[in-house]
Amino acid sequence: MAFWRKNMPVEMFLRSGPDWHLDGKGEHTFEAFFEERGLRPEDFDPIPISVFLDYTEWFRERKRLGLDERLVTGLTKPNAAFVATMDDGTTITADKVLASPGIGYFLNLPEWYAEVPAARRSHTCELVSFEALAGARVVIIGGRQSAYEWATLLCDHDAAHVDVVHRHSMPTFAKVSWRFVDQYVDQTLTHRGWWRGLPVERQRAIAAEFWQVGRLTLELWLVPRIPDAVVTSHPGVRWSPQRSANTT
Ligand SMILES: Cc1cc2nc3c(=O)[nH]c(=O)nc-3n(C[C@H](O)[C@H](O)[C@H](O)COP(=O)(O)OP(=O)(O)OC[C@H]3O[C@@H](n4cnc5c(N)ncnc54)[C@H](O)[C@@H]3O)c2cc1C
């Protein structure tokens, strides 16, 4: 959960609900955590990230999972076994390796990013606390959930003005259901290679479903936290290096 702890704002809310959990066996679910703690899921809508992180820690304890916080810096297979080198120089030898290094490596920086002075720019991965931006004028490039949630968090921390600039039109703010995903998760669990075996058209249709719910639609609970007096949206606008060079 290092990414959740270090690269997402402490005050962020989840898009997913209490029915999404970590346990493939369906035993130590998020709902089981609520029940054991005497909490009611309906009191957490949307769910603060802190509640989910408490759940993951509870899950780890219940599953008796050890935690090794070292970084794997290299992986080789000199013979029948794998050898992983850790950042403290020690190694771990194993017959099998499951690599799940996650979403951090998909960070995508636009070409002009390097042209903006380092002290004045941040990727959403890096900008996870907002106190220092009280009173600041901020421009957010991008217009999906992260962009608008970061705008609300800036408002919560008294930014003077926030401009949200995006190439696409205004997204829709609506209550969405992620229930459609359940059937695909079930298929993935019961039929090995299910996704890979689907016809390309079917894969595209499923991807479009995710796009519609996750990207074209943003969470309705953002709306009351985005005051018109502070946040200005600029749909259909492409941010260019020339513009950034002229902007302080
Ligand atoms: C802003 C934001 C909001 C989101 N909201 C939701 C939500 O509401 N609901 C939801 O279900 N999902 C949400 N997601 C998506 C969710 O975070 C990802 O789908 C999920 O974290 C992917 O899990 P993962 O284990 O594949 O990767 P990660 O969570 O990225 O975990 C990978 C882990 O591997 C570690 N690692 C990487 N390289 C090494 C190495 N060399 N050595 C040792 N460790 C290493 C990392 O430190 C990290 O802890 C959100 C994502 C973002 C960015």
Side-chain angles (χ1 to χ4, degrees), residues 1-4 8 12-16 20 70-73 100-105 146 150:
M1 300 307 294
F3 188 89
W4 288 72
M8 300 193 200
M12 199 192 91
F13 287 98
L14 262 59
R15 301 195 75 182
S16 51
W20 278 25
R70 290 174 299 169
L71 194 71
V72 176
T73 54
S100 53
I103 55 182
Y105 295 101
S146 292
W150 266 241

Side-chain angles (χ1 to χ4, degrees), residues 113-125:
Y113 190 77
E115 296 172 33
V116 183
R120 288 176 170 262
R121 59 165 204 227
S122 284
H123 187 276
T124 47
C125 244

Side-chain angles (χ1 to χ4, degrees), residues 41-53:
E42 52 273 32
D43 291 338
F44 298 91
D45 184 16
I47 298 169
I49 190 171
S50 57
V51 175
F52 190 73
L53 286 170

Side-chain angles (χ1 to χ4, degrees), residues 144-155:
R144 304 295 183 197
Q145 179 71 24
S146 292
Y148 279 96
E149 186 160 10
W150 266 241
T152 62
L153 291 165
L154 284 161
C155 291

